[in-house]
Amino acid sequence: MANHKSALKRIRRNEAVRLRNKYQHKTMRNALRKLRAEEDKKAAETLFPTVVGMIDRLAKRNIIHDNKAANLKSKLAKHVAAL
């Protein structure tokens, strides 16, 4: 158990940040799933920039790795172009 006030605060803060990261990561995964399931090219092209924005935001905040973000964006762009 933590002995210092600052350590207790850090534990609370870490939990809050972990939950926020988990929520944002899950939201991004759901958006990816929705985009991959999209059959209409027009709808996919309108959804694509929002999903890319989500991916970039998560990479900037180190929730996902930069290379993973690049790989996801590349595969999504190929998928949308192939529709």
Side-chain angles (χ1 to χ4, degrees):
M1 188 62 202
N3 291 321
H4 295 279
K5 233 177 167 177
S6 61
L8 292 170
K9 182 177 180 181
R10 193 73 232 158
I11 289 168
R12 288 195 311 269
R13 178 87 182 107
N14 285 345
E15 181 63 14
V17 169
R18 185 185 73 81
L19 289 174
R20 187 181 321 119
N21 289 346
K22 183 177 160 186
Y23 170 77
Q24 290 173 345
H25 196 187
K26 185 66 174 174
T27 304
M28 188 248 339
R29 287 200 308 264
N30 287 337
L32 283 174
R33 201 171 296 126
K34 184 178 176 187
L35 180 59
R36 285 186 185 129
E38 191 62 59
E39 295 294 326
D40 182 32
K41 188 174 178 80
K42 274 276 200 214
E45 284 175 343
T46 57
L47 192 59
F48 181 68
T50 59
V51 175
V52 168
M54 279 181 173
I55 293 170
D56 286 336
R57 242 187 329 274
L58 292 182
K60 185 174 76 174
R61 295 176 184 158
N62 291 321
I63 297 171
I64 62 173
H65 196 275
D66 290 340
N67 291 351
K68 180 181 176 72
N71 290 337
L72 284 172
K73 289 191 295 184
S74 171
K75 286 179 183 175
L76 285 175
K78 280 168 127 176
H79 174 73
V80 170
L83 286 176

